[in-house]
Amino acid sequence: MKKNLLDTKTASWGELIKNGRTFMVPRFQRDYSWEEEQWDDLWYDLVNLEEEDFHYMGYLVLQNSPTNEYLVIDGQQRLTTLSIIALAVIQHIAELIKKGKDHKNNEERKKLLMDSFLGYKDPTSLVAKSKLTLNRNNNDFYQSYLLRFRKPTSKSKLKPSEKLLIGAVEYFYEKIKLKFGQDISGEKLADFLDKKAADQFVFTFITVDNDLNAYKVFETLNSRGVRLSPTDLLKNYLFMVAAQKGETDIDQAERQWQSINNILGGIELTTYLRHFWNSRNMIARKQNLFKVVKNSIIDADQAFALLDELENNAQLYAAFSQPEDELWKQAEQSEYIRQLKLFGVTQCYPLLLAAYKKFDPNEYARLLRCCCVIAFRYNVIGGLNPNKLEDEYNKTAQDVHAGKLKNTREIFHNLKSVYVSDEEFESSFAAKSIATKGKGAKLVRYILFSLENQISSKKYDFSDSSVTIEHILPENPSQNWESNFTIEEQIQLVFRLGNYALLEESKNKMCQNDLYPTKKEIYKTSSYKITAQDSVCDEWSPERILERQKKLAKYAKTVWKFE
């Protein structure tokens, strides 16, 4: 008789957490990651429990152990946040005790709630035992600070996940304070936690006997329409396949997965896996990545081969978003990485992964420049379909990985279909508007400095903070500007590239929102030709902005050009 992997039970949070059960997050599980958006959702559910008999909290996947301890395979974010709500409630009761309010009863309430939701003394060993043990990165902080109601001396030195943990405590503490206001009492707080939250938050929980069954559960849940993240699906599928060799191999898979995550830092592992996969296989989109990997990785050896490759290439992939990384031994390489990061373009990453170990540093720098030029023409100025670009990079990456393309010249020939022609690029550049807000300001600086370097044969750095972007037609023009620009023309033209100039910070302050005749006298004194020569005329008008932008577009096709 086959064992039913999904022998499910339903229980309230109180039924799960009480009765001597303890829960342990496996040491290699991801760190606490819930933020205010998720806290908001949970708080909304909690305060609205009065309007419903219960609130369904979804699935928990737990693994049995010989004792009454359960490994949390899925559900650690929810269980951790619920324990934090308990902490916040108990913290309020502790403050009532300090104030001498209903001292004896509140002391008893505090002890009972602590024992029920956070920890208790084992009757045999008399050792304090926590109801919840977090992973190896978070547990020390959880036990030493949160459970002991201590505040860290400096939040700036905390790990990101520790900041989220303490942030969650502070968030729920304030929410509880606002909810009860002046009417706060130990009795109401205890009822809120022990009757409402504990009794009315309901889970479906699944208990399994071993790691292999735990990972199989994810597959079944996914087929039943339960929403799981691609990262969790892929991780647990790979672990399930790795488990075919035995328990020690699961440990090895978990160690490698954690190592990859540590190297990547904040980079989404699924995105990295997709780009890595596309550097040597037919393209997989985000929506079908899990299916593609599942169909290709069918035994433990293949699973570990993939994990090995991912671990070996993770440092390179992380460096794509870090221009100062030690991998970029040439200043040119670092500069092109900085440009790609500025553009926010990642479609070329599979090609860059495929070529890194095959090209010498000089050839790799040429390839990076090729990718920058294509990205600027195609993505930044052209705003063209990124899927087509991804397709072309995928095919080219496969050819590089297979040894069919051996240098940048051959690669560029392969990518000609996504290299926007001079005529089309010049036309698009002449019509481009980029607002100087957020990342747009950096992009405009980059464009102006690149044009300036071409015009004046200089090598200015666009990150130079002593230079500002001057809006010749101001962002907030006075009424006097309406003699040359209608209100509609001001809105349409203020963020056109032809309306921008580079100007020393001190001179920009002199300009303020003055009219053009006053401004142009200041422009003449600038050390930047794009300003001193190119921005000076008899008057500033809509026609002049468009004419100047066409002129800049002719320069642009020589700056962002790859032969």
Side-chain angles (χ1 to χ4, degrees), residues 5-6 29-30 59-62 72-76 78 206 208 211-240 290 294:
L5 279 177
L6 291 181
Q29 283 273 27
R30 62 177 174 160
Y59 282 84
L60 286 178
V61 181
L62 307 171
V72 183
I73 305 301
D74 182 49
Q76 65 137 323
R78 285 165 288 162
I206 304 164
V208 294
D211 288 326
L212 180 56
N213 285 345
Y215 301 130
K216 283 181 180 177
V217 164
F218 277 87
E219 179 81 4
T220 311
L221 288 178
N222 188 53
S223 68
R224 293 187 176 191
V226 178
R227 187 180 173 190
L228 298 172
S229 75
T231 303
D232 284 335
L233 285 169
L234 287 163
K235 170 187 171 183
N236 287 282
Y237 176 72
L238 289 175
F239 286 6
M240 183 185 75
F290 174 65
K294 180 185 170 187

Side-chain angles (χ1 to χ4, degrees), residues 106-362:
N106 280 335
E107 280 280 13
E108 189 171 354
R109 287 187 186 106
K110 178 186 173 186
K111 182 181 185 309
L112 289 170
L113 293 176
M114 286 285 292
D115 288 348
S116 296
F117 293 95
L118 300 177
Y120 64 97
K121 271 193 177 181
D122 186 285
T124 304
S125 64
L126 298 179
V127 173
K129 196 163 187 178
S130 174
K131 289 275 186 179
L132 178 65
T133 302
L134 301 188
N135 74 359
R136 61 181 180 178
N137 289 332
N138 290 158
N139 194 54
D140 284 347
F141 184 77
Y142 177 76
Q143 303 290 339
S144 301
Y145 286 91
L146 270 58
L147 291 187
R148 295 175 64 187
F149 302 99
R150 293 171 58 211
K151 290 186 178 181
T153 53
S154 174
K155 284 188 184 179
S156 63
K157 295 180 180 179
L158 298 178
K159 300 173 188 172
S161 55
E162 292 173 345
K163 289 178 182 177
L164 291 174
L165 285 166
I166 196 71
V169 173
E170 293 169 350
Y171 171 90
F172 288 109
Y173 176 87
E174 290 300 322
K175 288 292 185 182
I176 292 166
K177 184 178 179 181
L178 287 171
K179 175 177 172 56
F180 290 99
Q182 296 299 317
D183 295 329
I184 196 166
S185 71
E187 186 178 2
K188 289 180 179 179
L189 288 165
D191 180 77
F192 180 67
L193 177 61
D194 197 42
K195 301 301 180 190
K196 290 186 174 60
D199 288 351
Q200 292 177 258
F201 275 152
V202 174
F203 291 90
T204 299
F205 71 97
I206 304 164
T207 53
V208 294
D209 294 328
N210 55 53
D211 288 326
L212 180 56
N213 285 345
Y215 301 130
K216 283 181 180 177
V217 164
F218 277 87
E219 179 81 4
T220 311
L221 288 178
N222 188 53
S223 68
R224 293 187 176 191
V226 178
R227 187 180 173 190
L228 298 172
S229 75
T231 303
D232 284 335
L233 285 169
L234 287 163
K235 170 187 171 183
N236 287 282
Y237 176 72
L238 289 175
F239 286 6
M240 183 185 75
V241 175
Q244 293 170 1
K245 283 192 170 183
E247 295 291 326
T248 56
D249 291 277
I250 293 179
D251 288 344
Q252 175 60 25
E254 287 184 324
R255 277 192 289 272
Q256 286 190 265
W257 188 270
Q258 186 62 38
S259 171
I260 295 164
N261 268 306
N262 290 342
I263 295 168
L264 293 178
I267 299 170
E268 173 60 52
L269 194 148
T270 308
T271 303
Y272 165 48
L273 173 56
R274 187 168 70 85
H275 284 151
F276 173 80
W277 190 267
N278 291 346
S279 71
R280 54 190 65 193
N281 301 287
M282 288 196 61
I283 194 164
R285 304 284 185 200
K286 185 176 181 180
Q287 59 269 30
N288 70 338
L289 178 62
F290 174 65
K291 182 179 178 182
V292 169
V293 173
K294 180 185 170 187
N295 289 340
S296 303
I297 307 298
I298 58 177
D299 61 40
D301 289 338
Q302 291 173 325
F304 279 110
L306 177 59
L307 287 169
D308 288 345
E309 289 278 19
L310 289 171
E311 191 171 18
N312 291 337
N313 286 273
Q315 185 179 357
L316 171 60
Y317 190 83
F320 291 157
S321 58
Q322 299 167 8
E324 305 307 319
D325 193 279
E326 61 184 13
L327 280 180
W328 312 124
K329 296 180 173 61
Q330 293 185 344
E332 273 187 302
Q333 291 179 347
S334 181
E335 173 57 29
Y336 297 138
I337 291 293
R338 182 166 68 140
Q339 290 179 26
L340 287 174
K341 183 179 180 181
L342 174 65
F343 302 161
V345 171
T346 61
Q347 289 91 350
C348 57
Y349 284 2
L351 173 59
L352 296 178
L353 283 167
Y356 185 76
K357 291 179 181 177
K358 294 178 179 290
F359 288 11
D360 65 42
N362 291 329

Side-chain angles (χ1 to χ4, degrees), residues 397-437:
Q398 287 183 75
D399 286 344
V400 170
H401 178 69
K404 296 177 183 178
L405 301 175
K406 301 183 185 301
N407 56 53
T408 305
R409 181 172 173 271
E410 294 174 353
I411 288 172
F412 179 65
H413 181 75
N414 244 39
L415 295 171
K416 285 287 279 187
S417 65
V418 290
Y419 180 77
V420 176
S421 68
D422 282 354
E423 183 180 359
E424 188 180 348
F425 174 64
E426 185 178 340
S427 174
S428 297
F429 191 98
K432 192 71 177 177
S433 293
I434 302 175
T436 49
K437 296 173 182 177

Side-chain angles (χ1 to χ4, degrees), residues 2 46 70 100 348 401:
K2 289 185 178 179
L46 180 53
Y70 293 84
C348 57
H401 178 69

